[in-house]
C-alpha cells in the first residue's frame, strides 16, 4: 500500500486565545482479491480501488483566569475515487 498524504496548518496565539487550523489531503490504493462461490462455480475477482480524502480541522481555546473553553470541528470529504473490477 502506498499512501500519499499532505498536511499544513496555521497557529495563532494571543493572550488567552489560540486558534489552530490544519488542512489535509490523503490518497491510498487498495489491491485485493474476492472469491465468489455460487451454484457450484467459483470465481476470483480482482479489486483495484483508489481512496481520496481531504478536509480541514479547527481547534479554538480561550482562557480567562480559572475558566477555560475549548472547541473543535473537522470537515472531511472522502470518497472512492476509482473503482475497477476484473
Amino acid at each position: 500500500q502506498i499512501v500519499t498524504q499532505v498536511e499544513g496548518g496555521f497557529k495563532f496565539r494571543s493572550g488567552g486565545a489560540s486558534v489552530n487550523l490544519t488542512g489535509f489531503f490523503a490518497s491510498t490504493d487498495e489491491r485485493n482479491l474476492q472469491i465468489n462461490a455460487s451454484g457450484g462455480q467459483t470465481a476470483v475477482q480482482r479489486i483495484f480501488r483508489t481512496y481520496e480524502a481531504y478536509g480541514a480541522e479547527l481547534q479554538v481555546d480561550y482562557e480567562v483566569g480559572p475558566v477555560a473553553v475549548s472547541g473543535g470541528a473537522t470537515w472531511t470529504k472522502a470518497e472512492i475515487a476509482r473503482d475497477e473490477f476484473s
Side-chain angles (χ1 to χ4, degrees), residues 12-18 61-64:
F12 173 79
R13 290 193 175 103
S14 179
S18 68
D61 299 302
Y62 188 70
E63 291 184 33
V64 177

Side-chain angles (χ1 to χ4, degrees), residues 20-64:
N20 300 321
L21 178 63
T22 304
F24 63 88
F25 170 80
S27 175
T28 188
D29 295 319
E30 173 189 18
R31 303 289 181 255
N32 214 338
L33 295 175
Q34 179 172 309
I35 300 172
N36 296 319
S38 174
Q41 299 291 325
T42 300
V44 176
Q45 185 177 35
R46 290 183 292 178
I47 300 171
F48 303 107
R49 288 192 181 124
T50 299
Y51 302 94
E52 292 181 350
Y54 60 90
E57 301 172 352
L58 174 67
Q59 176 70 38
V60 179
D61 299 302
Y62 188 70
E63 291 184 33
V64 177

